[in-house]
Amino acid sequence: MHSLKLPFHIHRERLPRKRIVGPSFAEDEDLKKVLKSYQSNKIRTTKYSFLSFLPKNLFEQLHRIANIYFIFLAALNFVPVVEAFQPEVSLVPIVLVLSVTAIKDVFEDFRRFHSDRLVNRQLCDLYSSAQKDYVDCCWKDVRVGDFVRLSCNEIIPADMVLLYSSDPRGVCYIETANLDGETNLKQRQVVSDLPLQDSQFSPENFHSRIECENPNNDLNRFRGFIEHASGVRVGLHSSNVLLRSCTIRNTETVIGIVVYAGHETKAMMNNSGPRYKRSLLERRLNRDILWCVALLIVMCLIAAVGHGLWLKNLKDPIFQVDGEMSPALAAFYVFWTMIIVLQVLIPISLYVSIEIVKLGQIYFIHNDLDMYNEEQDSRIQCRALNITEDLGQIQYVFSDKTGTLTENKMVFRRCSIFGVEYPHEENARRLAVYEEDPNRGASRTVTLKSACSRKSLTCRSLSCNRSSVSLHTLTAESGEEDQLSSHPQAKTAAFCSPMAKDVVPDPALEKKLNSLCSSLLHLSDGLFKTTSNLELTYITDFFLALTICNTVVVSSPGQPRHVARTPLKSLEEIKVMFQRLSFSSLKGSMEDQDEDGSSGEDSEDELLYEAESPDEAALVHAARAYHCTLRARSPENLLVELPGIGSLPVRLLHVLPFDSNRKRMSVVVRHPLTGELVVYTKGADSVIMDLAERPKGRKLYSHIREQTQKHLDAYAREGLRTLCIAKKVLEEEEYDVWMKRQLLAESSIENREELLLESAQRLETNLTLLGSTGIVDRLQEEVPETIEALQRAGIKVWVLTGDKQETAINIANACKLLRSSDQLLTANCDNKDACAALLNELIVEVQCGQEGVSEQREDPSSGSTGFILAIDGRTLDWALQEDLRSSFLELSRKCKAVLCCRSTPLQKSKVVQLVRDHLRVMTLAVGDGANDVSMIQVADVGIGISGQEGMQAVMSSDFAIPRFHHLRKLLLVHGHWCYHRLANMILYFFYKNVMYVNLLFWYQFFCGFSGSVMINSWVLILFNLLFTSVPPLIYGVLDQDTAADALEEHPELYQAVYVPSIFWITILDAFYQSCICFFIPYFALAGSDVDGLSFGSPINTSALFIILLHQVIESHTLTWIHALVLFLSAASYFAFVLLFSTFCIVCSHPTNLLGVEPRQLSTPLFYVICAVTTVTALIPRYTHKHTLICLFMISINTLEHSAEERISLADRKWNRRRTMEGLGQKNTTWPDWWLKDEEAVMS
């Protein structure tokens, strides 16, 4: 490839924020000082150290207002004038809660510490200037400026600039699976203008200096330059950098200099760990706690006022009273005393309980076998630990299309060349067979990566062959490697499956290609100028473009990925090598080669293609089906086999890779037949058609363009992914001028991306349109059923895709997002004014339509309809602007679904943010690719699908699922359960605290509002903290209000259950139960001589039974675990109070509990009081619960009846269609009146 030397004076600009890197053993003291200022390669993901744990953890826990509140109360209880009971007792709740949280944090931090230690102790080869050789060194000891040598299969320990590769062309292949999940190989290039790669690299001879940008998290960008001793500067970019966590493949040895280490590497800067979000339920919880605080203040004010009035009206007291204190001051002190007494009203253990319950819920979600995908060997991942309940409140789902709703396993379906369409009918039938038998699509070809687990950080047991070998020596490997290649963990090549590879050629197109050999004999006679030969030229260029316009890496089963492959040095070497291999020339007829339905490939080594995208793999396999085969690739040469010609070397001059802005890629090659400089371009049809030339007066080109556009529209209506193929012939002078500008852009430091874009646009103009392709991307299994279930659950589904509008509409039909009874609204505008007018017009149309629908619903004999909005990217840009936002939202919220087509990643995130913020709804975004990351991060809940496009979406998500249909159970079952459990558990905590505290409040009316209590202070503190704290945890983890099958069968049950009124109903129920629990014992013991503690004993015991049995009534699932926990809770209470009252003499000064509980338990009245109190208090709750169960069963029966009607109606429609098809009307479009009449009959 080309390189460019830039004199020193050209680059006067400096990076605004830069980093200087040179050899760590350099004698320059200033450089050494700079290098030491950079971070080492030691990583530390722990939050605490031994010394910082206590203050740092305590500081973090004080961010919770409840903890500060209880610390304040504990301190307040040490003030003698307002103390309610022993000061040390008030410390127990807050110390216990802080300790439990701290223990949990220690456990989590220790796991991180253990993981860090394993990584830091990995070994690599580091150059030692003292020993003049490479020595083993731990990763943690690597520093910026060190030289690291890596072998095949080793993981890169730090971000390095590539200085040497054993590959003679200076190329290195890496696998980025540990970084972004992509298993296809990526190529990296040694910095240009370094010494020849065939000589051994010596760090001692490296005297250059690197200046680059400061550390950042952009994986695809690296800006800087290397300045040689001569003063020449060479630009550096991402293709010169090896990133930490990537794995060396297909290369024997590489050497690099470390530029970023440790936490400054791009991998670590992108590793944010588990995501922490604040759920909607927690935000509501804070509001409810504020209501409890208000209730507490009201109760304390009542007690303070009551005490002041009591003191003021007290005449001749029979007990000692401080007569010098005014009633107002006494009331003030009582207010703070009651704050301490009634502190239990605020549930201090609720936050810890919520965290424990969420961990339990995540455990069961993570281990749900229904959400395990055997083919991918993957299951659901819960990356956000604290928003499980948000899964049960989703109102809008925003979904990507490709790879999310579809397989993202692209299969060549049909094509158009020279304006002629080739339908590939046999190929369509083959795909239909695969759809009927999906197991046939499973890949049987395995490619050896490593026998070691991918999780291992190094794998030195499978080092590359040290000798430099050519391709033909790699066709046979040792028996050990053959055995390894069948290892169960061996993976298939990227995007390489029989369904994609076994393309059946179209007979007409194949026949035309058969004439290629005879036509070449007359190439010098200029016969290509005729129409037929011009068409043949188009066909040849079309398939040549499919073969070489890509970044596919070629390998074979005999050449595993862990073996170093020596690239081809020259065109002559390519020819000699293939002559040695005796590749058969395909000069005979293809028909002779295809006898018995097999190609000549069976006799040759099977090739494996490592593609960066499934589209590339599908096109290369399609070209190979027509015997246009990519045989080998090196940085400067390609080996291509053409039908009737054989193997031809193709000089690769330049590659302009695909990017999301240009939406295309191009290669500049020397044509193997004509010797011309040719640019081959493939990309999105919307882009290529605009770049294609429009020659005036040439009807043939206009005809080709018109026909190709017709075919593209037809492909889109079928739901196919469309690409256009084009070419451009360059003059030598034109190419030289462009190349100079391109090299300047590549070597530029500032504005490099903009200059490269401008250079590419200068080349990719006035293209000659060759043809188009249609690639099928099948729907994933159960997608229609999943979307239908989500819609029945009241969730609106939007599809945000970069595909054409026709393709998106076709997919919407296929996945039942768009039904025959729905009305499709399309929004395609060229300017903002037209967009505003169209939005207003559509709003009126929808309103009129909805009025008609409401009238139809009043008439049971009529069917219902909905509106689906399809909007393209340009119109969406206008609609998202400030002045049109409200109209777009008003229209979209009235529609059943929205299809956003040709949308960019930025538009996707803007749409999600707009709906989330302005409609104030819970949003969920689901996608599988890097272009979905921004949308996933903006949504309340982000779902990543671990599909064919790497792991960027997964790493940015809150939850990751293998397939789209798993979303159904995740939301409708687990989401419903998690939300229902947590919402009811929180209500239960408020209930039991309010109920228990009110017992103390009622007692104040009979003790002069003095703040006295009739319950021992230790029991008072531990009652809610220990004795009744475990049952709600079990409820929050295990309760199932509805069976999983019922929730999936009746998605309508998904609707949220927590409304503000439920909170107040729960509080009122707590007040009622506290009244019963206090006053029944009060009237039963009225007139007796029981003391305060003896009076409080049956009240406290009754409260325990009421609270525990209340939990039983609320539970929908009762197991032996529930029974055991309830028994242990009651047993622990009785054991504590009995032991306490038996052995503790001065434990509860000034009151004395000695002998109270044994005496109470020995009297029959105690048990009668407890039984009557418990039953009376729980009767309303039990009646309410039984009523709800009856209503629920009625709703279930109604849903089942509606489902039966829908099924019966569908059966009738199907039978009517079958009848009409039997009458020869197979393709009839059924009129709306006929369908409505059918629905009316059913109603």
Side-chain angles (χ1 to χ4, degrees), residues 10 43 70 125 163 192 241 294 299 349 457 531 596 614 621 636 724 849 884 941 956 998 1004 1009 1020 1103 1162 1183:
I10 289 183
I43 63 168
F70 278 96
D125 288 344
L163 301 178
S192 59
V241 179
M299 294 170 70
S349 59
L457 292 172
T531 303
D596 300 326
H621 286 302
E636 297 181 0
C724 282
L884 295 184
V941 179
S956 303
N998 270 302
Q1004 302 308 308
F1009 300 96
L1020 178 66
S1162 63
T1183 303

mmCIF file of all heavy atoms in Angstrom, residues 10 43 70 125 163 192 241 294 299 349 457 531 596 614 621 636 724 849 884 941 956 998 1004 1009 1020 1103 1162 1183:
data_model
loop_
_atom_site.group_PDB
_atom_site.id
_atom_site.type_symbol
_atom_site.label_atom_id
_atom_site.label_comp_id
_atom_site.label_asym_id
_atom_site.label_seq_id
_atom_site.Cartn_x
_atom_site.Cartn_y
_atom_site.Cartn_z
ATOM 1 N N ILE A 10 5.223 20.706 7.812
ATOM 2 C CA ILE A 10 3.829 20.567 7.380
ATOM 3 C C ILE A 10 2.904 20.512 8.592
ATOM 4 O O ILE A 10 1.804 21.039 8.588
ATOM 5 C CB ILE A 10 3.666 19.324 6.500
ATOM 6 C CG1 ILE A 10 4.334 19.570 5.162
ATOM 7 C CG2 ILE A 10 2.204 18.971 6.300
ATOM 8 C CD1 ILE A 10 4.179 18.437 4.170
ATOM 9 N N ILE A 43 -4.630 -2.777 37.296
ATOM 10 C CA ILE A 43 -6.024 -2.346 37.358
ATOM 11 C C ILE A 43 -6.572 -2.600 38.759
ATOM 12 O O ILE A 43 -6.165 -3.541 39.454
ATOM 13 C CB ILE A 43 -6.892 -3.063 36.306
ATOM 14 C CG1 ILE A 43 -6.930 -4.555 36.555
ATOM 15 C CG2 ILE A 43 -6.401 -2.755 34.909
ATOM 16 C CD1 ILE A 43 -7.984 -5.267 35.756
ATOM 17 N N PHE A 70 -32.248 8.148 61.267
ATOM 18 C CA PHE A 70 -32.132 7.252 62.418
ATOM 19 C C PHE A 70 -30.873 7.542 63.228
ATOM 20 O O PHE A 70 -30.856 7.332 64.446
ATOM 21 C CB PHE A 70 -32.158 5.794 61.953
ATOM 22 C CG PHE A 70 -33.551 5.284 61.716
ATOM 23 C CD1 PHE A 70 -34.095 5.290 60.443
ATOM 24 C CD2 PHE A 70 -34.324 4.834 62.769
ATOM 25 C CE1 PHE A 70 -35.381 4.832 60.225
ATOM 26 C CE2 PHE A 70 -35.618 4.367 62.554
ATOM 27 C CZ PHE A 70 -36.157 4.375 61.287
ATOM 28 N N ASP A 125 5.590 -11.043 27.501
ATOM 29 C CA ASP A 125 7.007 -10.838 27.203
ATOM 30 C C ASP A 125 7.301 -9.344 27.121
ATOM 31 O O ASP A 125 6.791 -8.648 26.230
ATOM 32 C CB ASP A 125 7.383 -11.512 25.881
ATOM 33 C CG ASP A 125 7.404 -13.021 26.004
ATOM 34 O OD1 ASP A 125 7.428 -13.509 27.150
ATOM 35 O OD2 ASP A 125 7.382 -13.710 24.968
ATOM 36 N N LEU A 163 4.448 -1.944 15.983
ATOM 37 C CA LEU A 163 5.733 -1.582 15.376
ATOM 38 C C LEU A 163 6.323 -2.709 14.533
ATOM 39 O O LEU A 163 7.148 -2.445 13.658
ATOM 40 C CB LEU A 163 6.748 -1.195 16.466
ATOM 41 C CG LEU A 163 6.358 -0.026 17.371
ATOM 42 C CD1 LEU A 163 7.430 0.199 18.410
ATOM 43 C CD2 LEU A 163 6.104 1.236 16.565
ATOM 44 N N SER A 192 3.718 2.870 9.098
ATOM 45 C CA SER A 192 4.489 2.977 7.858
ATOM 46 C C SER A 192 5.820 3.689 8.097
ATOM 47 O O SER A 192 6.001 4.394 9.098
ATOM 48 C CB SER A 192 3.675 3.736 6.804
ATOM 49 O OG SER A 192 3.345 5.029 7.277
ATOM 50 N N VAL A 241 -3.193 0.488 15.978
ATOM 51 C CA VAL A 241 -3.247 0.304 17.428
ATOM 52 C C VAL A 241 -3.832 -1.060 17.765
ATOM 53 O O VAL A 241 -4.840 -1.495 17.167
ATOM 54 C CB VAL A 241 -4.081 1.423 18.094
ATOM 55 C CG1 VAL A 241 -4.146 1.219 19.597
ATOM 56 C CG2 VAL A 241 -3.484 2.780 17.780
ATOM 57 N N ALA A 294 -44.749 12.938 57.450
ATOM 58 C CA ALA A 294 -45.821 13.887 57.776
ATOM 59 C C ALA A 294 -46.773 13.296 58.811
ATOM 60 O O ALA A 294 -47.194 13.994 59.758
ATOM 61 C CB ALA A 294 -46.578 14.263 56.499
ATOM 62 N N MET A 299 -48.746 12.967 64.487
ATOM 63 C CA MET A 299 -48.965 12.180 65.708
ATOM 64 C C MET A 299 -48.168 12.755 66.866
ATOM 65 O O MET A 299 -48.656 12.827 68.010
ATOM 66 C CB MET A 299 -48.579 10.719 65.452
ATOM 67 C CG MET A 299 -49.479 10.024 64.432
ATOM 68 S SD MET A 299 -48.860 8.403 63.912
ATOM 69 C CE MET A 299 -49.094 7.451 65.396
ATOM 70 N N SER A 349 -35.425 -0.759 57.797
ATOM 71 C CA SER A 349 -34.883 -1.941 57.121
ATOM 72 C C SER A 349 -35.438 -2.123 55.713
ATOM 73 O O SER A 349 -35.078 -3.085 55.035
ATOM 74 C CB SER A 349 -35.184 -3.193 57.951
ATOM 75 O OG SER A 349 -36.588 -3.343 58.117
ATOM 76 N N LEU A 457 -6.954 -15.889 29.911
ATOM 77 C CA LEU A 457 -6.326 -14.680 29.410
ATOM 78 C C LEU A 457 -5.143 -14.965 28.506
ATOM 79 O O LEU A 457 -4.748 -14.145 27.718
ATOM 80 C CB LEU A 457 -5.895 -13.803 30.586
ATOM 81 C CG LEU A 457 -7.078 -13.225 31.359
ATOM 82 C CD1 LEU A 457 -6.607 -12.544 32.609
ATOM 83 C CD2 LEU A 457 -7.859 -12.266 30.494
ATOM 84 N N THR A 531 -24.577 -4.849 -27.571
ATOM 85 C CA THR A 531 -25.431 -4.876 -26.392
ATOM 86 C C THR A 531 -25.242 -6.150 -25.592
ATOM 87 O O THR A 531 -25.132 -6.123 -24.368
ATOM 88 C CB THR A 531 -26.912 -4.730 -26.813
ATOM 89 O OG1 THR A 531 -27.053 -3.532 -27.554
ATOM 90 C CG2 THR A 531 -27.800 -4.716 -25.590
ATOM 91 N N ASP A 596 -24.574 -33.904 -11.312
ATOM 92 C CA ASP A 596 -25.010 -34.486 -10.043
ATOM 93 C C ASP A 596 -25.268 -33.407 -8.991
ATOM 94 O O ASP A 596 -25.264 -33.675 -7.805
ATOM 95 C CB ASP A 596 -23.974 -35.476 -9.489
ATOM 96 C CG ASP A 596 -23.727 -36.615 -10.462
ATOM 97 O OD1 ASP A 596 -24.697 -37.011 -11.142
ATOM 98 O OD2 ASP A 596 -22.572 -37.083 -10.535
ATOM 99 N N PRO A 614 -22.928 -9.820 8.164
ATOM 100 C CA PRO A 614 -23.596 -10.907 7.442
ATOM 101 C C PRO A 614 -23.911 -10.554 5.995
ATOM 102 O O PRO A 614 -23.997 -11.443 5.147
ATOM 103 C CB PRO A 614 -24.874 -11.137 8.260
ATOM 104 C CG PRO A 614 -25.061 -9.893 9.056
ATOM 105 C CD PRO A 614 -23.715 -9.342 9.304
ATOM 106 N N HIS A 621 -20.634 -15.404 -0.748
ATOM 107 C CA HIS A 621 -21.114 -16.761 -1.008
ATOM 108 C C HIS A 621 -21.958 -16.813 -2.280
ATOM 109 O O HIS A 621 -21.921 -17.805 -3.023
ATOM 110 C CB HIS A 621 -21.919 -17.273 0.188
ATOM 111 C CG HIS A 621 -21.075 -17.635 1.368
ATOM 112 N ND1 HIS A 621 -20.071 -18.573 1.307
ATOM 113 C CD2 HIS A 621 -21.088 -17.188 2.651
ATOM 114 C CE1 HIS A 621 -19.499 -18.685 2.498
ATOM 115 N NE2 HIS A 621 -20.095 -17.851 3.325
ATOM 116 N N GLU A 636 -2.173 -6.107 -0.384
ATOM 117 C CA GLU A 636 -2.048 -5.440 -1.675
ATOM 118 C C GLU A 636 -2.548 -6.277 -2.840
ATOM 119 O O GLU A 636 -2.592 -5.785 -3.964
ATOM 120 C CB GLU A 636 -0.576 -5.066 -1.914
ATOM 121 C CG GLU A 636 -0.043 -4.068 -0.901
ATOM 122 C CD GLU A 636 1.399 -3.708 -1.167
ATOM 123 O OE1 GLU A 636 1.960 -4.240 -2.145
ATOM 124 O OE2 GLU A 636 1.954 -2.897 -0.409
ATOM 125 N N CYS A 724 -26.989 -1.690 -3.755
ATOM 126 C CA CYS A 724 -26.665 -1.391 -5.150
ATOM 127 C C CYS A 724 -25.171 -1.564 -5.376
ATOM 128 O O CYS A 724 -24.358 -1.282 -4.493
ATOM 129 C CB CYS A 724 -27.082 0.035 -5.508
ATOM 130 S SG CYS A 724 -28.849 0.215 -5.810
ATOM 131 N N GLY A 849 -61.131 8.935 12.289
ATOM 132 C CA GLY A 849 -61.142 7.476 12.271
ATOM 133 C C GLY A 849 -61.427 6.894 13.633
ATOM 134 O O GLY A 849 -62.160 5.904 13.752
ATOM 135 N N LEU A 884 -42.433 21.318 15.855
ATOM 136 C CA LEU A 884 -43.293 20.249 15.330
ATOM 137 C C LEU A 884 -43.395 19.061 16.274
ATOM 138 O O LEU A 884 -44.110 18.106 15.986
ATOM 139 C CB LEU A 884 -42.761 19.773 13.967
ATOM 140 C CG LEU A 884 -42.800 20.786 12.827
ATOM 141 C CD1 LEU A 884 -42.327 20.142 11.531
ATOM 142 C CD2 LEU A 884 -44.199 21.358 12.653
ATOM 143 N N VAL A 941 -35.439 1.351 30.399
ATOM 144 C CA VAL A 941 -34.898 -0.010 30.446
ATOM 145 C C VAL A 941 -34.297 -0.311 29.079
ATOM 146 O O VAL A 941 -34.966 -0.165 28.058
ATOM 147 C CB VAL A 941 -35.976 -1.053 30.792
ATOM 148 C CG1 VAL A 941 -35.380 -2.455 30.796
ATOM 149 C CG2 VAL A 941 -36.614 -0.745 32.133
ATOM 150 N N SER A 956 -23.997 -2.202 26.765
ATOM 151 C CA SER A 956 -24.624 -0.928 27.117
ATOM 152 C C SER A 956 -26.014 -1.101 27.713
ATOM 153 O O SER A 956 -26.658 -0.113 28.052
ATOM 154 C CB SER A 956 -24.723 -0.035 25.864
ATOM 155 O OG SER A 956 -23.468 0.170 25.281
ATOM 156 N N ASN A 998 -48.979 2.637 65.923
ATOM 157 C CA ASN A 998 -50.248 3.171 66.438
ATOM 158 C C ASN A 998 -50.630 2.566 67.775
ATOM 159 O O ASN A 998 -51.380 3.192 68.544
ATOM 160 C CB ASN A 998 -51.364 2.925 65.424
ATOM 161 C CG ASN A 998 -51.491 4.066 64.445
ATOM 162 O OD1 ASN A 998 -51.709 5.215 64.810
ATOM 163 N ND2 ASN A 998 -51.310 3.760 63.170
ATOM 164 N N GLN A 1004 -50.862 6.570 74.497
ATOM 165 C CA GLN A 1004 -50.586 7.903 75.023
ATOM 166 C C GLN A 1004 -51.846 8.579 75.570
ATOM 167 O O GLN A 1004 -51.757 9.438 76.466
ATOM 168 C CB GLN A 1004 -49.953 8.789 73.939
ATOM 169 C CG GLN A 1004 -48.663 8.234 73.361
ATOM 170 C CD GLN A 1004 -47.654 7.874 74.432
ATOM 171 O OE1 GLN A 1004 -47.334 8.685 75.312
ATOM 172 N NE2 GLN A 1004 -47.174 6.626 74.376
ATOM 173 N N PHE A 1009 -50.043 11.436 77.660
ATOM 174 C CA PHE A 1009 -49.166 11.793 76.526
ATOM 175 C C PHE A 1009 -47.735 12.027 76.985
ATOM 176 O O PHE A 1009 -47.047 12.948 76.524
ATOM 177 C CB PHE A 1009 -49.686 13.032 75.797
ATOM 178 C CG PHE A 1009 -51.065 12.871 75.223
ATOM 179 C CD1 PHE A 1009 -52.180 13.316 75.922
ATOM 180 C CD2 PHE A 1009 -51.251 12.245 73.993
ATOM 181 C CE1 PHE A 1009 -53.445 13.164 75.393
ATOM 182 C CE2 PHE A 1009 -52.520 12.098 73.477
ATOM 183 C CZ PHE A 1009 -53.618 12.554 74.167
ATOM 184 N N LEU A 1020 -39.550 -3.586 71.481
ATOM 185 C CA LEU A 1020 -40.058 -2.528 70.607
ATOM 186 C C LEU A 1020 -39.129 -2.296 69.414
ATOM 187 O O LEU A 1020 -39.583 -2.164 68.265
ATOM 188 C CB LEU A 1020 -40.225 -1.245 71.424
ATOM 189 C CG LEU A 1020 -40.708 -0.010 70.669
ATOM 190 C CD1 LEU A 1020 -42.127 -0.217 70.177
ATOM 191 C CD2 LEU A 1020 -40.632 1.217 71.558
ATOM 192 N N ALA A 1103 -50.379 -8.427 68.013
ATOM 193 C CA ALA A 1103 -49.835 -7.712 66.856
ATOM 194 C C ALA A 1103 -48.926 -8.620 66.032
ATOM 195 O O ALA A 1103 -48.942 -8.576 64.791
ATOM 196 C CB ALA A 1103 -49.062 -6.481 67.329
ATOM 197 N N SER A 1162 -49.202 -18.183 81.149
ATOM 198 C CA SER A 1162 -49.832 -19.224 81.983
ATOM 199 C C SER A 1162 -51.306 -18.964 82.239
ATOM 200 O O SER A 1162 -51.983 -19.783 82.863
ATOM 201 C CB SER A 1162 -49.084 -19.333 83.318
ATOM 202 O OG SER A 1162 -49.201 -18.106 84.047
ATOM 203 N N THR A 1183 -61.846 -10.646 53.836
ATOM 204 C CA THR A 1183 -63.016 -10.437 52.966
ATOM 205 C C THR A 1183 -62.600 -9.696 51.691
ATOM 206 O O THR A 1183 -63.023 -10.054 50.582
ATOM 207 C CB THR A 1183 -64.076 -9.618 53.721
ATOM 208 O OG1 THR A 1183 -64.413 -10.297 54.938
ATOM 209 C CG2 THR A 1183 -65.321 -9.457 52.865
#
